[in-house]
Amino acid sequence: MVGTSLRYSKTDNVPSNSTAQLPSRPQSNPIPSFWTSQPQPLDDHRSTPTLPPSASIVIIGGGFSGIATAYHLLNTPNPPSIVLLEARKICSGATAMYGLSAAAELASFEAVNVYAVKELVEKEGLREECEFQVTRAVDVYLDEAHARQTEEAYRELMGCGGVDMRDIAFVSRKDAEKVSGVKGAHCAFSFTAAHLWPLKFIHGLLRQLLTKGPNVQANTPVTSISPAPDAHGNWTVHTPRGSISTPKVIYATNAYTCALLPSYARAITPIRGFCSHIAAPRGSPAPHLVNTYARSYDYLIPRTDGSIVVGGARQRFWHAPEHWFGTVRDDKVIDEAVSYFDGYMQRHFRGWEDSGAKTENVWTGILGYSADYMPHVGCVPGKPGQFVIAAFNGHGMPQILLSTKGLAKMVGKGVPFEETGMPRIFKTTKERIDRKDSPLEESFR
């Protein structure tokens, strides 16, 4: 989990109305994660001692979305001047409702994104540095009713003729446990996926990017943006270190978008997640995992050293929304999540019973979730020259790179959203922002 975090709000309880509390700024003392444990040379990078007074584009957020958007904008003829502002260290943060055609569109987009990341990693020579691996993802279903519903949806997609299903392998209950290695599996799906070290990937990308001239300012939180543009159509971006005038602002702000765009207070909610690093002692009989996994509400990423990164633990705390919904506290973990990961591999994976695997680290991070579980990308309604790319619902790695490529076309060339190649359900609209219902909130009631 590399999730953007926010300062703990006045209370840590779910508000009766999601707009009642607005998240504050990123706090300075988040719990270190396995991914961020190694300092990076560009952690605190500042291109210049002071902020420039103006820029063609200001990007708020120094994570994957912000840096990838800058990358696409600067790899064009006559690139614009860009200032990228990050509140903390660079990359210091925590990535069935729409019908078959939209589901097919999203699946195709994510499949292509895998190869887009592969191409970028190879082009920039980052494969070894960020430990990029193409593999298979295995989604395992443990609940019988859920497995049955999912299989029915799969059969329906197979029959509709509008989805390329050649890369998807389905395993029925008879063989699901043996093929997946997950105890109690009722069915499983596998498909091409990839995994990497997110922090090293983003820092490697930024290192290449700096040769093209962006002004990057770490540890520079944005406090506000002028409520309206000036007579020249420029917005003023305010920070404790000074202000910048710009005709275009990009909010790559994920969970804390509504701290700067209050209209998104109900549309995007900070959600607290938990993650762990589990390792077996040297000489352990534990089988080496080559696939990534999703089981129930957990996900697993194998490491080349045989250790496993496991995120989730939702079963332990989802019943208590005060632990995760609308909270921005990432400076401590909760006991329910920590204990969940103890003995995890032994309980759930075949061949790990006598592995001696132990939890070495547990951390927490804040993710940006949307009310309808889809990202918000595109023009901010009612604010000409402002754009947003946020709320990837903890699922950003399969979606962000091509989303930033599409957004860069909108910002740099004025391309309409519909011509960017992004799934239509990603488009941020006034209707989505103002919707009264929230499938996210309904999921824990």
Side-chain angles (χ1 to χ4, degrees), residues 285-335:
H288 181 70
L289 299 183
V290 296
N291 300 314
T292 63
Y293 287 84
R295 61 168 299 280
S296 190
Y297 298 108
D298 300 339
Y299 66 89
L300 290 82
I301 301 173
R303 307 278 307 126
T304 54
D305 61 6
S307 66
I308 312 289
V309 172
V310 180
R314 171 174 163 174
Q315 299 92 321
R316 288 287 183 88
F317 60 83
W318 201 254
H319 64 284
E322 65 273 14
H323 287 320
W324 59 272
F325 184 89
T327 182
V328 293
R329 188 163 192 176
D330 63 353
D331 61 342
K332 71 174 185 178
V333 295
I334 59 174
D335 292 341

Side-chain angles (χ1 to χ4, degrees), residues 373-391:
Y373 290 104
M374 283 296 124
H376 281 267
V377 186
C379 302
V380 176
K383 292 186 177 292
Q386 295 197 11
F387 304 83
V388 65
I389 178 166

Side-chain angles (χ1 to χ4, degrees), residues 11 17 31 88 92 152 207 220 251 257 276 303 309 319 349 386 424:
T11 67
N17 183 318
I31 293 176
R88 301 191 298 193
S92 61
E152 290 172 354
R207 188 173 63 248
T220 306
Y251 298 87
T257 297
S276 68
R303 307 278 307 126
V309 172
H319 64 284
F349 280 78
Q386 295 197 11
R424 61 187 183 277

Side-chain angles (χ1 to χ4, degrees), residues 357-404:
K358 293 183 179 179
T359 304
E360 295 196 335
N361 188 18
V362 177
W363 64 94
T364 185
I366 308 301
L367 307 167
Y369 270 64
S370 65
D372 57 10
Y373 290 104
M374 283 296 124
H376 281 267
V377 186
C379 302
V380 176
K383 292 186 177 292
Q386 295 197 11
F387 304 83
V388 65
I389 178 166
F392 284 90
N393 300 281
H395 194 60
M397 290 307 295
Q399 299 175 344
I400 286 177
L401 184 61
L402 290 183
S403 294
T404 58

Side-chain angles (χ1 to χ4, degrees), residues 65-193:
S65 293
I67 290 174
T69 301
Y71 178 89
H72 293 303
L73 285 166
L74 291 171
N75 279 280
T76 58
N78 303 313
S81 63
I82 292 178
V83 175
L84 188 149
L85 305 173
E86 166 54 43
R88 301 191 298 193
K89 296 179 184 294
I90 298 297
C91 192
S92 61
T95 145
M97 296 175 289
Y98 299 94
L100 289 179
S101 61
E105 185 182 6
L106 180 57
S108 298
F109 182 76
E110 292 192 8
V112 175
N113 195 83
V114 170
Y115 295 104
V117 174
K118 179 178 183 291
E119 180 181 347
L120 177 60
V121 165
E122 293 174 345
K123 175 184 176 183
E124 300 296 350
L126 302 175
R127 175 184 285 277
E128 292 188 7
E129 178 180 346
C130 69
E131 303 179 22
F132 178 82
Q133 296 288 334
V134 174
T135 183
R136 298 285 288 180
V138 180
D139 283 2
V140 179
Y141 293 81
L142 305 177
D143 178 78
E144 184 174 5
H146 192 196
R148 184 170 58 253
Q149 293 169 359
T150 304
E151 181 177 355
E152 290 172 354
Y154 165 74
R155 302 292 183 194
E156 189 173 358
L157 282 172
M158 287 285 289
C160 77
V163 188
D164 185 353
M165 305 290 284
R166 290 176 296 179
D167 186 53
I168 299 176
F170 172 71
V171 184
S172 65
R173 180 171 184 174
K174 181 172 73 72
D175 298 316
E177 186 171 310
K178 289 181 291 184
V179 171
S180 69
V182 178
K183 299 175 183 179
H186 283 272
C187 74
F189 296 84
S190 73
F191 47 90
T192 300

